[in-house]
Amino acid sequence: MIKVGIIGATGYAGAELVRILSRHKEAEIVWYGSRSYIEKPYASVYKNMFQIVDASCMDDNMEELADKADVIFTATPQGFCASLVSEEILSKTKIVDLSADFRIKDVSTYEEWYKIEHKSPQFIKEAVYGLCEINREAVKKARLVANPGCYTTCSILTAYPLAKEGLIDMDTLIIDAKSGTSGAGRGAKTANLFCEVNENMKAYGVATHRHTPEIEEQLGYASGRKVVLNFTPHLVPMNRGILVTEYASLKKGVSAGEVASVYEHYYGKETFIRVLEEGACPETKWVEGSNYVDIGFQIDKRTGRIIMMGAIDNLVKGAAGQAVQNMNLLFGIEEKEGLDLVPMFP
Amino acid sequence: MIKVGIIGATGYAGAELVRILSRHKEAEIVWYGSRSYIEKPYASVYKNMFQIVDASCMDDNMEELADKADVIFTATPQGFCASLVSEEILSKTKIVDLSADFRIKDVSTYEEWYKIEHKSPQFIKEAVYGLCEINREAVKKARLVANPGCYTTCSILTAYPLAKEGLIDMDTLIIDAKSGTSGAGRGAKTANLFCEVNENMKAYGVATHRHTPEIEEQLGYASGRKVVLNFTPHLVPMNRGILVTEYASLKKGVSAGEVASVYEHYYGKETFIRVLEEGACPETKWVEGSNYVDIGFQIDKRTGRIIMMGAIDNLVKGAAGQAVQNMNLLFGIEEKEGLDLVPMFP
Amino acid sequence: MIKVGIIGATGYAGAELVRILSRHKEAEIVWYGSRSYIEKPYASVYKNMFQIVDASCMDDNMEELADKADVIFTATPQGFCASLVSEEILSKTKIVDLSADFRIKDVSTYEEWYKIEHKSPQFIKEAVYGLCEINREAVKKARLVANPGCYTTCSILTAYPLAKEGLIDMDTLIIDAKSGTSGAGRGAKTANLFCEVNENMKAYGVATHRHTPEIEEQLGYASGRKVVLNFTPHLVPMNRGILVTEYASLKKGVSAGEVASVYEHYYGKETFIRVLEEGACPETKWVEGSNYVDIGFQIDKRTGRIIMMGAIDNLVKGAAGQAVQNMNLLFGIEEKEGLDLVPMFP
Amino acid sequence: MIKVGIIGATGYAGAELVRILSRHKEAEIVWYGSRSYIEKPYASVYKNMFQIVDASCMDDNMEELADKADVIFTATPQGFCASLVSEEILSKTKIVDLSADFRIKDVSTYEEWYKIEHKSPQFIKEAVYGLCEINREAVKKARLVANPGCYTTCSILTAYPLAKEGLIDMDTLIIDAKSGTSGAGRGAKTANLFCEVNENMKAYGVATHRHTPEIEEQLGYASGRKVVLNFTPHLVPMNRGILVTEYASLKKGVSAGEVASVYEHYYGKETFIRVLEEGACPETKWVEGSNYVDIGFQIDKRTGRIIMMGAIDNLVKGAAGQAVQNMNLLFGIEEKEGLDLVPMFP
């Protein structure tokens, strides 16, 4: 059994790790780190886990944890992992970091968008960007995995094959993204109260959202050139789910059939990516609770643009599910172990 | 592998059967019956099942199905199962009926509340009321199981130990129940439109809801006397979940400790019933997607009443989950097979 | 023009006062008191009021305000009004207190349920309980009005005529209440986050909720005897609305016709109380945004009980609307001025 | 008093007309046309109107109605108004058509997108497109007003000043729109059931939505050239509200200050358009229940694009409110009469 430690186990992403790992056949959680709830039974914080998890919360002592765990998930605020990771820790255990600390290769870009100093730039190069379907082989050999952001996972995977194959004009790419509210975390903020979110919708972080450079970097690698794009997130009155609607000019003469076969080529054998039939629009509910990414597209001949759409559960494929998928890769077990989750409808 | 046929596979309860059975290790669905969608791929009706279910919908020919399936689930309107079941069918296959046809032992009570003639009264006596935790042994030997209603499962299990042990005055029992909207089914009715249900709450079927006699009959068996009670259902703007709040006068001198130990005695070893610590109030979200029943209570010394509270997911323990639990009992496999579902939060 | 001061103008009840008073023809707000947002433009806190309210927030200096305002609304936490009110203030201005400070006549009952010392017991006797339809004449002559709670307004008005006329057995009265989340206020608490409330339902404050003694006292006056009852509030995933379902044994021989005519007698001429036709169940959406109370009932001959149902918008008739109605009574203007609000559907 | 007839009074847009007109000081409804509910009391269909509207529903006899009403609102399916309007009717009464029949000047474009034959092309030229802020003077003199679509009102008004002043490259304009579910109407369709919409989000009508040519035509007039754009609507789990996020390349050198002053120039004196301070993002809840359009924008210097955002209540400014605003213009009464509605929050 893989021994798993979680730091930040009582945030929504941490709780989703607990939910998924509680049914994983080759892993067991040995550490439920949560500074806010030390010594409190985990199931008193998340009562859905009553009689499923018996353990109590622990502190966030990463050095101690490195001795006890084969892998540590850090579901923590930006800066936490970078401020504590060390060669000694990495020599004892693997880390899957769910924060942004090691996602961006250019440290100045990180510091500019996140407004904090990076405390461990020496590990950035080594860290593998854990978008499993794209970087599978690299993840297998990693010590430190930078688990992608929720918006970025959905945004990148939706456009990746077309970016890679040069079917779209990358200068025209616009990503309009919509997210359920669990993406905002469990912090007690007025803006996230039920009455403020329910029956309401808004854009936020327009032209400034931190997932932008992460998307640009990865799609830059895919297309072999620098990418600058617009990414606009919106808050939607639902718990889970991200939907992205992406617009780009299609290269001249590219047909729907070509697009479909490029998607098929890249994703046809992927367990967790479902390319819908042409013209079908993904819905977030179809992937709720699961690790799936659903992708659809439509070509508008009038404007010459393609509209690509992707849907994920932000807490699963957008956070905890992908983190477990990365863990499975790290330890050479079946990639879908623990992730054979059927979407719940309704 | 147990061969399973479902009639009514495209209703919400039927779809939940498909979701659960798709991960059951000892059963496989061989028939997705749905008169409305014959020959259409099942996954085109429930797109969450894309790449999980490949089969297409079939008609509802119960006789043909009896030859192919070891067990038939009828997730159909009242009257359907009673109009088709026969000795021949029951000699070939087992039936778990999710409708009310065989739940009520007194046929005249059935006909009075349901306003239809019962077409197979000869099987009523034989049918076993499939409330697993109460009738486990009888279910194991049954050919025809009457799967309990959603409201009734939650209402009965919440009060059962106290009714059985005579701790409450059954003449004072009042059940105020609240349900998510999936309980109303997938029929296209104006009253169930998003805009009519959202941001709204109402009681309905006051003093006339059909689950009333079912609850009365079972609590009558428990308490050894005729029970007449008030049951008031309410529609709540959420997809899943039933919460019942039950009021009854506590017999003189009964303490919280006694109540707690009676619950412990009956449910302490049950996998799917979680009795919360005293004073805790169950929440529907804590059981969402799972087969759990969460139960709590509070004694009001000022009025001498006990307030019992129970929560279930109406589509799981209130329908499909319990049906699979009954199937497991019928075939002698582990009772929780396929039902080891962790509640999803948020 | 009546000069109005609001203390607590940035809570949900305070904001609803602003919404209603902004269209009141004989009143103008001269003071938007909000300790948390002093000097910030009111419309930057509630952006729905952009270009409607130009003023900025003020502190909560009640003495200064008493010189400037003809009436002060205190939409503040328990204890605030009682700790500041004085003979001098009451000699200069009228007060409509939306907190519980002056609702309960017995100070020890107040202190027991609210767990705080009452700082101005000398004004309790003088204060008029502002349930307009019941205490209209007394309100007209008051200096200090105790605006009723949201649950209590709905609970009392629904049962009042039957309690007053002795048609029900008061010992059997049980009130099961359901509320939208705005009743929990705008404080940033984890329990009120969107993801915790949405797709969820629970009871809370079982047998201990502070509105209980208020309901008991008023129904005690109505029935001419001490009343002890069960009141159970529930949290519902919607912004606005309270629905109460009340159960009581009907006195022998009382017919539906008699009940209907008692309701008609008490409420037939009331602008804001709508008694529905027999058998109709009120829905919270039918009163949303308005000052209406909708009432329905059903008699269950099997159990001898009557089920009474009432619905209000908790922020209007349950708080700000009733406060304005009280203001109108205090100043001798038309009772419905500013309250001619049409419910919004959907 | 203006005598008003409504055809389609029991759809959501029709019901909103009733809500607004019930408080209009210079208009009275004389005809509640609803083929589905003939002779049923209107308040039995929309119980929020109990004791507010006493009338019963009538048929949809437009000729008879033309004799009785000074203005007819047709809140009806596409094709209805065009199939019945005649010179005789228009000589007796004015028509505000809430359907698309007279919105598009080119009949072949209409027939191509709506897939129906236009039955009264002779009135298309005369019909005035009732986007009040743009066509105010023309509306005043009209007999037949084509009330704009909900998406179109929000989409056009958000971009109009920049299109008119040539600040953006119209070839790059992309409109990503999100709507509450009331926009889908009150028809009983499975796709609009609570359980299908709640906790879900999707795009629909991608590259084919019928509001596209209407937006293109009007923005074409504004910019003085043919406009072809992408418009993508999305369904959001809320009752009311439209949010549009519009992307376009800003002409070189245009500053945020210039954009702000162009908005100020066009909308500074408009009662119903509120241009937010720079960087603020409109939220649908801030305009709920009101006739406001809230507009914000952000310039992304990295990409050279401007992101414009607009929010309306789809049933008010997007349908009934604008229709009443048009009526006020038609009859020379104050434009905001009946529309002085304060947004409701929460």
Side-chain angles (χ1 to χ4, degrees), chain B residues 16-66:
Chain B
E16 192 71 355
L17 278 168
V18 173
R19 177 176 84 96
I20 293 171
L21 289 168
S22 69
R23 291 298 176 260
H24 194 289
K25 293 201 200 67
E26 309 198 28
E28 59 175 334
I29 304 174
V30 298
W31 188 287
Y32 296 81
S34 172
R35 210 185 316 189
S36 322
Y37 295 98
I38 294 176
E39 292 183 15
K40 286 202 66 174
Y42 187 79
S44 73
V45 184
Y46 282 94
K47 296 191 183 172
N48 57 318
M49 303 310 283
F50 184 51
Q51 296 185 0
I52 300 173
V53 173
D54 287 329
S56 289
C57 295
M58 313 280 285
D59 63 23
D60 52 10
N61 187 331
M62 212 161 165
E63 290 191 26
E64 187 188 342
L65 180 47

Coordinates of all heavy atoms in Angstrom, one line a residue, chain B residues 16-66:
Chain B
E16 N -30.3 5.6 -12.2 CA -29.5 5.4 -11.0 C -29.1 3.9 -10.8 O -28.0 3.6 -10.4 CB -30.2 6.0 -9.7 CG -29.3 6.1 -8.5 CD -28.3 7.2 -8.6 OE1 -28.1 7.8 -9.6 OE2 -27.6 7.4 -7.6
L17 N -30.1 3.1 -11.2 CA -29.7 1.6 -11.3 C -28.6 1.4 -12.2 O -27.6 0.6 -11.9 CB -31.0 0.8 -11.7 CG -32.0 0.5 -10.6 CD1 -33.3 0.0 -11.3 CD2 -31.5 -0.5 -9.6
V18 N -28.6 2.0 -13.4 CA -27.6 1.8 -14.4 C -26.2 2.3 -13.8 O -25.2 1.7 -13.9 CB -27.9 2.6 -15.7 CG1 -26.8 2.5 -16.7 CG2 -29.2 1.9 -16.3
R19 N -26.3 3.5 -13.2 CA -25.0 4.1 -12.6 C -24.4 3.1 -11.6 O -23.2 2.8 -11.6 CB -25.3 5.4 -11.9 CG -24.1 6.0 -11.2 CD -24.3 7.4 -10.6 NE -24.9 7.4 -9.3 CZ -24.2 7.5 -8.1 NH1 -22.9 7.6 -8.1 NH2 -24.8 7.5 -7.0
I20 N -25.2 2.6 -10.7 CA -24.7 1.7 -9.6 C -24.3 0.4 -10.2 O -23.2 -0.1 -9.9 CB -25.8 1.5 -8.5 CG1 -26.0 2.9 -7.8 CG2 -25.4 0.5 -7.5 CD1 -27.2 2.9 -6.9
L21 N -25.1 -0.2 -11.0 CA -24.8 -1.5 -11.5 C -23.6 -1.5 -12.5 O -22.9 -2.6 -12.7 CB -26.1 -2.1 -12.2 CG -27.2 -2.5 -11.2 CD1 -28.5 -2.8 -12.0 CD2 -26.8 -3.7 -10.4
S22 N -23.3 -0.4 -13.1 CA -22.2 -0.3 -14.0 C -20.9 -0.6 -13.3 O -19.9 -0.9 -13.9 CB -22.1 1.0 -14.7 OG -21.8 2.0 -13.8
R23 N -20.9 -0.5 -12.0 CA -19.7 -0.8 -11.2 C -19.8 -2.0 -10.2 O -19.0 -2.2 -9.3 CB -19.2 0.5 -10.4 CG -18.7 1.6 -11.3 CD -17.5 1.3 -12.0 NE -17.1 2.3 -12.9 CZ -17.3 2.4 -14.2 NH1 -18.0 1.4 -14.8 NH2 -16.8 3.4 -15.0
H24 N -20.9 -2.7 -10.4 CA -21.2 -3.9 -9.6 C -20.4 -5.1 -10.1 O -20.4 -5.4 -11.3 CB -22.7 -4.2 -9.6 CG -23.1 -5.2 -8.6 ND1 -22.8 -6.5 -8.6 CD2 -23.9 -5.0 -7.5 CE1 -23.4 -7.1 -7.5 NE2 -24.0 -6.2 -6.8
K25 N -19.6 -5.7 -9.2 CA -18.7 -6.8 -9.7 C -19.4 -8.1 -10.0 O -18.8 -8.9 -10.7 CB -17.6 -7.0 -8.7 CG -16.7 -5.8 -8.5 CD -15.4 -6.2 -7.9 CE -14.7 -5.0 -7.3 NZ -15.5 -4.5 -6.1
E26 N -20.6 -8.3 -9.6 CA -21.2 -9.6 -9.8 C -22.5 -9.5 -10.6 O -23.3 -10.4 -10.6 CB -21.4 -10.3 -8.5 CG -20.1 -10.3 -7.7 CD -20.2 -11.4 -6.6 OE1 -20.8 -12.4 -6.7 OE2 -19.5 -11.2 -5.5
A27 N -22.7 -8.4 -11.2 CA -24.0 -8.2 -12.0 C -23.6 -7.5 -13.3 O -22.7 -6.7 -13.3 CB -25.0 -7.5 -11.2
E28 N -24.4 -7.8 -14.3 CA -24.3 -7.1 -15.6 C -25.7 -6.8 -16.1 O -26.6 -7.7 -16.1 CB -23.4 -7.8 -16.6 CG -24.0 -9.2 -16.9 CD -23.2 -9.9 -18.0 OE1 -22.6 -9.2 -18.9 OE2 -23.2 -11.1 -18.1
I29 N -25.9 -5.7 -16.7 CA -27.2 -5.3 -17.2 C -27.3 -5.9 -18.6 O -26.4 -5.7 -19.5 CB -27.4 -3.8 -17.3 CG1 -27.2 -3.2 -15.9 CG2 -28.7 -3.4 -17.8 CD1 -27.3 -1.7 -15.8
V30 N -28.3 -6.7 -18.9 CA -28.5 -7.3 -20.2 C -29.6 -6.6 -21.0 O -29.9 -7.0 -22.1 CB -28.7 -8.8 -20.1 CG1 -27.5 -9.5 -19.5 CG2 -30.0 -9.1 -19.3
W31 N -30.4 -5.7 -20.3 CA -31.6 -5.2 -20.9 C -31.9 -3.8 -20.4 O -32.1 -3.7 -19.2 CB -32.7 -6.2 -20.6 CG -34.0 -5.9 -21.3 CD1 -34.9 -4.9 -21.1 CD2 -34.6 -6.7 -22.4 NE1 -36.0 -5.0 -21.9 CE2 -35.9 -6.1 -22.7 CE3 -34.2 -7.8 -23.1 CZ2 -36.7 -6.6 -23.7 CZ3 -35.1 -8.3 -24.1 CH2 -36.3 -7.7 -24.4
Y32 N -31.8 -2.8 -21.2 CA -32.1 -1.5 -20.8 C -33.5 -1.2 -21.4 O -33.6 -0.6 -22.5 CB -31.1 -0.5 -21.4 CG -29.7 -0.6 -20.9 CD1 -28.9 -1.6 -21.4 CD2 -29.2 0.1 -19.8 CE1 -27.6 -1.8 -20.9 CE2 -28.0 0.0 -19.3 CZ -27.1 -1.0 -19.9 OH -25.9 -1.2 -19.4
G33 N -34.5 -1.5 -20.7 CA -35.9 -1.3 -21.2 C -36.4 0.1 -21.1 O -36.3 0.7 -20.0
S34 N -36.8 0.6 -22.2 CA -37.4 2.0 -22.1 C -38.3 2.2 -23.3 O -37.8 2.4 -24.5 CB -36.2 3.0 -22.2 OG -36.8 4.3 -22.3
R35 N -39.6 2.1 -23.1 CA -40.5 2.2 -24.2 C -40.3 3.4 -25.0 O -40.5 3.4 -26.3 CB -41.9 2.1 -23.7 CG -42.9 1.4 -24.7 CD -44.3 1.5 -24.2 NE -44.4 1.2 -22.7 CZ -45.6 1.0 -22.1 NH1 -46.7 1.1 -22.8 NH2 -45.6 0.7 -20.8
S36 N -40.0 4.6 -24.4 CA -39.9 5.8 -25.1 C -38.7 6.0 -26.0 O -38.6 6.8 -26.8 CB -39.8 7.0 -24.1 OG -40.7 6.7 -23.0
Y37 N -37.7 5.2 -25.7 CA -36.4 5.4 -26.5 C -35.9 4.1 -27.2 O -34.7 3.9 -27.4 CB -35.3 5.8 -25.5 CG -35.6 7.2 -24.9 CD1 -36.1 7.3 -23.6 CD2 -35.3 8.4 -25.6 CE1 -36.4 8.6 -23.1 CE2 -35.5 9.6 -25.1 CZ -36.1 9.7 -23.8 OH -36.3 11.0 -23.3
I38 N -36.8 3.2 -27.5 CA -36.4 1.9 -28.1 C -35.4 2.1 -29.3 O -35.6 3.0 -30.1 CB -37.7 1.2 -28.7 CG1 -38.6 0.8 -27.5 CG2 -37.3 -0.1 -29.4 CD1 -39.9 0.1 -27.9
E39 N -34.4 1.3 -29.2 CA -33.3 1.3 -30.2 C -32.4 2.5 -30.2 O -31.4 2.6 -30.9 CB -33.9 1.2 -31.7 CG -34.5 -0.2 -31.8 CD -35.0 -0.5 -33.2 OE1 -34.7 0.2 -34.2 OE2 -35.7 -1.5 -33.3
K40 N -32.7 3.5 -29.3 CA -31.7 4.6 -29.2 C -30.6 4.2 -28.3 O -30.9 3.5 -27.2 CB -32.4 5.9 -28.6 CG -33.3 6.5 -29.6 CD -33.6 8.0 -29.2 CE -32.3 8.8 -29.3 NZ -32.5 10.3 -29.1
P41 N -29.4 4.6 -28.5 CA -28.3 4.2 -27.6 C -28.6 4.8 -26.2 O -29.0 6.0 -26.1 CB -27.1 4.9 -28.2 CG -27.4 5.1 -29.7 CD -28.9 5.3 -29.7
Y42 N -28.4 4.0 -25.2 CA -28.7 4.5 -23.9 C -27.9 5.7 -23.5 O -28.4 6.7 -22.9 CB -28.4 3.4 -22.8 CG -28.8 3.8 -21.5 CD1 -30.2 3.6 -21.1 CD2 -27.9 4.3 -20.5 CE1 -30.6 4.1 -19.8 CE2 -28.4 4.7 -19.3 CZ -29.7 4.6 -18.9 OH -30.1 5.0 -17.7
A43 N -26.7 5.8 -24.0 CA -25.8 6.9 -23.7 C -26.2 8.2 -24.4 O -25.7 9.2 -24.2 CB -24.4 6.6 -23.9
S44 N -27.2 8.1 -25.4 CA -27.6 9.3 -26.0 C -28.8 9.9 -25.2 O -29.1 11.1 -25.4 CB -28.1 9.0 -27.4 OG -29.3 8.3 -27.4
V45 N -29.3 9.1 -24.3 CA -30.4 9.6 -23.4 C -29.7 10.2 -22.2 O -30.1 11.3 -21.7 CB -31.4 8.5 -23.1 CG1 -32.6 9.1 -22.3 CG2 -31.9 7.9 -24.3
Y46 N -28.8 9.4 -21.6 CA -28.0 9.9 -20.4 C -26.6 10.0 -20.8 O -25.8 9.0 -20.8 CB -28.2 8.9 -19.3 CG -29.5 9.1 -18.6 CD1 -30.7 8.3 -18.9 CD2 -29.7 10.1 -17.6 CE1 -31.9 8.5 -18.3 CE2 -30.9 10.3 -16.9 CZ -32.0 9.5 -17.3 OH -33.2 9.7 -16.7
K47 N -26.2 11.2 -21.2 CA -24.9 11.3 -21.8 C -23.7 11.2 -20.8 O -22.6 11.1 -21.2 CB -24.8 12.7 -22.6 CG -25.8 12.6 -23.7 CD -25.7 13.8 -24.7 CE -26.8 13.6 -25.8 NZ -26.8 14.8 -26.7
N48 N -24.1 11.2 -19.5 CA -23.1 10.9 -18.5 C -22.5 9.5 -18.7 O -21.4 9.2 -18.3 CB -23.6 11.1 -17.1 CG -24.8 10.3 -16.8 OD1 -25.7 10.2 -17.6 ND2 -24.9 9.7 -15.6
M49 N -23.3 8.6 -19.3 CA -22.9 7.2 -19.5 C -22.2 7.0 -20.8 O -21.9 5.8 -21.2 CB -24.2 6.3 -19.4 CG -24.9 6.5 -18.1 SD -23.9 6.4 -16.6 CE -23.6 4.6 -16.5
F50 N -21.9 8.0 -21.5 CA -21.1 7.9 -22.8 C -19.8 7.2 -22.6 O -19.1 7.5 -21.6 CB -20.8 9.4 -23.3 CG -20.2 9.4 -24.7 CD1 -20.6 8.7 -25.8 CD2 -19.0 10.2 -24.8 CE1 -20.0 8.8 -27.0 CE2 -18.4 10.4 -26.1 CZ -18.9 9.6 -27.2
Q51 N -19.5 6.2 -23.4 CA -18.3 5.3 -23.3 C -18.4 4.5 -22.0 O -17.4 3.8 -21.7 CB -17.0 6.2 -23.4 CG -16.9 6.8 -24.8 CD -15.6 7.6 -24.9 OE1 -14.7 7.6 -24.0 NE2 -15.4 8.1 -26.1
I52 N -19.5 4.4 -21.3 CA -19.6 3.5 -20.2 C -20.6 2.5 -20.5 O -20.4 1.3 -20.3 CB -20.0 4.3 -18.9 CG1 -18.9 5.4 -18.5 CG2 -20.2 3.3 -17.7 CD1 -19.3 6.3 -17.4
V53 N -21.7 2.9 -21.1 CA -22.8 2.0 -21.5 C -22.9 2.1 -23.1 O -23.0 3.1 -23.6 CB -24.2 2.3 -20.9 CG1 -25.2 1.5 -21.5 CG2 -24.1 2.2 -19.4
D54 N -22.7 0.9 -23.7 CA -22.7 0.9 -25.2 C -24.1 0.5 -25.7 O -24.4 0.7 -26.9 CB -21.7 0.0 -25.7 CG -20.3 0.6 -25.6 OD1 -20.2 1.8 -25.6 OD2 -19.3 -0.2 -25.4
A55 N -24.9 -0.2 -24.9 CA -26.1 -0.8 -25.3 C -27.2 0.3 -25.7 O -27.1 1.4 -25.4 CB -26.7 -1.7 -24.2
S56 N -28.2 -0.2 -26.5 CA -29.3 0.6 -26.9 C -30.5 0.2 -26.1 O -30.6 -0.9 -25.5 CB -29.6 0.5 -28.4 OG -28.6 1.1 -29.1
C57 N -31.5 1.0 -26.1 CA -32.7 0.7 -25.3 C -33.6 -0.3 -26.0 O -33.6 -0.4 -27.2 CB -33.6 2.0 -25.1 SG -32.7 3.3 -24.1
M58 N -34.3 -1.1 -25.1 CA -35.1 -2.2 -25.6 C -36.6 -1.9 -25.2 O -36.8 -0.9 -24.4 CB -34.7 -3.5 -24.9 CG -33.2 -3.7 -24.9 SD -32.7 -4.4 -26.5 CE -33.3 -6.1 -26.3
D59 N -37.5 -2.7 -25.6 CA -38.9 -2.5 -25.2 C -39.1 -3.0 -23.8 O -38.1 -3.3 -23.1 CB -39.8 -3.2 -26.2 CG -39.6 -4.7 -26.3 OD1 -39.1 -5.2 -25.3 OD2 -40.0 -5.3 -27.3
D60 N -40.3 -3.2 -23.4 CA -40.6 -3.6 -22.0 C -41.3 -5.0 -22.0 O -42.2 -5.2 -21.2 CB -41.4 -2.6 -21.3 CG -42.7 -2.2 -22.1 OD1 -43.0 -2.8 -23.1 OD2 -43.3 -1.2 -21.7
N61 N -40.8 -5.9 -22.9 CA -41.4 -7.2 -23.0 C -40.9 -8.1 -21.8 O -39.8 -8.6 -21.8 CB -41.0 -7.8 -24.3 CG -41.7 -9.1 -24.5 OD1 -42.1 -9.8 -23.6 ND2 -42.0 -9.5 -25.8
M62 N -41.8 -8.1 -20.8 CA -41.3 -8.8 -19.6 C -41.2 -10.3 -19.7 O -40.3 -10.9 -19.1 CB -42.4 -8.5 -18.5 CG -41.7 -8.4 -17.1 SD -42.9 -7.5 -16.0 CE -42.1 -8.0 -14.4
E63 N -42.0 -10.9 -20.6 CA -41.9 -12.3 -20.8 C -40.6 -12.7 -21.4 O -39.9 -13.7 -21.0 CB -43.1 -12.8 -21.6 CG -44.4 -12.7 -20.8 CD -45.6 -13.4 -21.5 OE1 -45.3 -14.4 -22.2 OE2 -46.7 -13.0 -21.2
E64 N -40.3 -12.0 -22.5 CA -39.0 -12.2 -23.2 C -37.8 -12.0 -22.2 O -36.9 -12.8 -22.1 CB -38.9 -11.3 -24.4 CG -37.7 -11.7 -25.2 CD -37.4 -10.6 -26.3 OE1 -38.3 -9.8 -26.6 OE2 -36.3 -10.6 -26.8
L65 N -38.0 -11.0 -21.5 CA -36.9 -10.6 -20.5 C -36.7 -11.7 -19.4 O -35.6 -12.0 -19.0 CB -37.2 -9.2 -19.9 CG -36.3 -8.6 -18.9 CD1 -34.8 -8.7 -19.4 CD2 -36.6 -7.2 -18.6
A66 N -37.8 -12.3 -19.0 CA -37.8 -13.3 -18.0 C -36.9 -14.5 -18.4 O -36.3 -15.2 -17.6 CB -39.2 -13.8 -17.7

